[in-house]
Amino acid sequence: MTETLIWIFAGLLAIGLYLSWTAGRLDRLHSRIDAARASLDAQLLRRASVAQELATAGVLDPAASIVLYQGAHAARQAEEEQREVAESELSEALRAVFGEVAQVEAVREAPGGEEAATELAAAVRRVPMARRFHNDSVRAARALRRHRTVRWFRLAGHAPFPLAFEMDDEPPVALADRPQ
């Protein structure tokens, strides 16, 4: 009888440890998602700010300045539900304005243009990386949350289901190939 109780206790302890480890892992994944989202938000804000600054610097032609400014302003002011669309539209505006190497070269030749072009190229390259890190974290948390054990024992608690950030983040060719 005592031996049976010891085995039952050992089994329950092992199950408890596994559940605790799984809940901790899920919590760490949710923390990683929060950190990745903050990084993504910072990179998106940086890209929009640099684009808006470049649009108002007077180094672009007026039509390109308006297109770039409107895209950047919309991305910075977008509500959370419309953020992915606004950021995709900013990517389209960047590709429209900097679709040709000649436009980038014209910006580089203007006073202060070299620094602005370099900063914009860096910002444009960092957005896809930040989005990939965020979406990878989301994918890992979703995979763990789909396990039966997590669902049955409600190990996710009241944490919202993680959502990926889907947007068009294809950089303009003329900016993507620039050295840092």
Side-chain angles (χ1 to χ4, degrees):
M1 180 72 170
T2 307
E3 187 176 319
T4 306
L5 287 175
I6 290 173
W7 281 109
I8 290 172
F9 178 73
L12 289 175
L13 181 65
I15 291 170
L17 286 173
Y18 173 73
L19 292 175
S20 175
W21 176 80
T22 304
R25 182 170 174 237
L26 191 57
D27 186 50
R28 286 188 302 275
L29 283 172
H30 282 139
S31 295
R32 195 167 89 187
I33 289 171
D34 292 342
R37 181 58 190 243
S39 175
L40 175 61
D41 287 343
Q43 293 304 325
L44 291 171
L45 180 62
R46 182 171 182 253
R47 180 181 77 152
S49 297
V50 171
Q52 201 169 20
E53 186 178 308
L54 190 59
T56 59
V59 296
L60 297 171
D61 63 85
S65 291
I66 290 172
V67 167
L68 194 57
Y69 183 83
Q70 286 177 342
H73 182 72
R76 289 185 71 174
Q77 301 298 319
E79 296 293 325
E80 191 60 36
E81 306 85 44
Q82 298 298 318
R83 184 106 187 259
E84 293 172 350
V85 173
E87 294 294 347
S88 294
E89 289 173 355
L90 176 55
S91 294
E92 291 173 13
L94 285 166
R95 281 195 306 272
V97 172
F98 297 106
E100 298 176 8
V101 178
Q103 183 68 28
V104 176
E105 293 304 319
V107 169
R108 288 179 64 204
E109 291 170 3
E114 178 64 37
E115 294 83 20
T118 302
E119 190 174 351
L120 183 61
V124 164
R125 273 195 304 270
R126 287 184 181 134
V127 167
M129 288 187 293
R131 189 175 73 86
R132 200 170 312 123
F133 287 139
H134 175 266
N135 288 350
D136 287 346
S137 299
V138 167
R139 200 171 302 115
R142 283 179 165 183
L144 185 58
R145 286 180 73 149
R146 278 194 292 268
H147 288 215
R148 274 180 273 181
T149 308
V150 173
R151 289 192 324 260
W152 289 348
F153 290 98
R154 302 177 194 270
L155 297 180
H158 297 289
F161 194 74
L163 299 173
F165 194 86
E166 298 300 332
M167 65 172 270
D168 172 14
D169 60 4
E170 185 68 29
V173 177
L175 286 176
D177 295 337
R178 286 189 43 81
Q180 286 216 15

